[in-house]
């Protein structure tokens, strides 16, 4: 009695396995694209938490989704993202809780912020330094970004981007080849 081949050497099985693999890879790519582009479509900016200054509420590797907010609409207790006082343009923003308000030397309103795990508040920042209020948090999603922020692992982002683009091109050309045959 002969048994039908059910191993990966069987072209029918190989094709089905490959199709399932492509489907899974496509789902992963679509999910990644939605996670990257989706928040921007609804006015949110994703940022990865890099330090433990907001623990236990926000941990390193969490992603916060920040929505722009008018400084007049913030309240004590809101978790806000801002540009720290004296920071260089283009430097990374900070996400801390609003502890209060103060007046600047010119009488303008300033924000007093403090990380939940920090004993002292940050230096007050002008209301113009406010970038937004945290609308949502996604735990653990930012770990790859957190690793890529480390100087010795900075090569991860371009490598992953190139690999994903290469794989998408491979899928595209395989699809074209299958349609021609």
């Amino acid at each position: 009695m002969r048994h039908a081949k059910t191993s990966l050497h069987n072209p029918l099985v190989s094709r089905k396995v490959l199709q399932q693999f492509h489907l899974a890879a496509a789902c992963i790519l679509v999910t990644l694209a939605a996670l990257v582009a989706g928040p921007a479509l609804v006015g949110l900016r994703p940022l990865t938490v890099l330090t433990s200054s907001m623990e236990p509420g926000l941990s390193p590797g969490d992603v916060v989704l920040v929505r722009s907010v008018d400084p007049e609409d913030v309240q004590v207790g809101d978790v806000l993202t801002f540009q720290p006082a004296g920071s260089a343009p283009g430097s990374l923003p900070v996400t801390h809780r609003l502890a209060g308000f103060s007046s600047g030397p010119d009488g303008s309103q300033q924000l007093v912020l403090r990380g939940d795990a920090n004993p002292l508040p940050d230096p007050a920042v002008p209301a113009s330094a406010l970038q937004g209020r945290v609308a949502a948090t996604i735990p653990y999603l930012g770990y790859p970004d957190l690793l890529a922020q480390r100087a010795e692992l900075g090569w991860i982002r371009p490598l992953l981007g190139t690999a994903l683009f290469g794989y998408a091109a491979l899928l595209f050309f395989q699809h074209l080849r299958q349609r021609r045959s």
Side-chain angles (χ1 to χ4, degrees):
M1 174 184 240
R2 277 184 101 185
H3 297 285
K5 285 187 177 181
T6 57
S7 69
L8 289 178
H9 298 290
N10 183 332
L12 185 59
V13 172
S14 294
R15 184 172 293 140
K16 286 184 179 182
V17 168
L18 192 58
Q19 286 173 344
Q20 293 299 317
F21 178 74
H22 286 160
L23 179 62
C27 288
I28 290 170
L29 287 173
V30 167
T31 301
L32 287 174
L35 288 172
V36 171
L41 294 174
V42 293
L44 297 172
R45 178 178 169 207
L47 297 170
T48 300
V49 176
L50 301 177
T51 69
S52 58
S53 67
M54 283 296 290
E55 285 191 321
L58 298 174
S59 299
D62 290 353
V63 169
V64 292
L65 300 176
V66 178
R67 184 181 308 276
S68 294
V69 64
D70 191 302
E72 295 174 8
D73 295 333
V74 298
Q75 300 174 2
V76 171
D78 286 350
V79 179
L80 306 174
T81 298
F82 64 99
Q83 207 60 45
S87 64
S91 62
L92 294 173
V94 174
T95 299
H96 280 168
R97 191 173 307 278
L98 181 61
F101 299 93
S102 67
S103 294
D106 60 355
S108 63
Q109 182 187 45
Q110 295 204 324
L111 307 174
V112 178
L113 297 117
R114 183 177 70 85
D116 290 351
N118 295 346
L120 300 173
D122 305 319
V125 296
S128 61
L130 179 63
Q131 293 186 0
R133 177 174 33 218
V134 172
T137 304
I138 307 170
Y140 312 115
L141 185 64
Y143 273 112
D145 191 39
L146 187 64
L147 286 174
Q149 294 285 341
R150 300 174 76 185
E152 65 273 9
L153 297 175
W155 53 270
I156 287 176
R157 274 190 195 152
L159 177 69
L160 286 176
T162 303
L164 286 173
F165 180 77
Y167 185 67
L170 175 70
L171 290 178
F172 176 74
F173 288 117
Q174 282 182 344
H175 177 71
L176 285 179
R177 190 177 69 193
Q178 286 175 353
R179 287 186 67 173
R180 287 184 187 154
S181 56

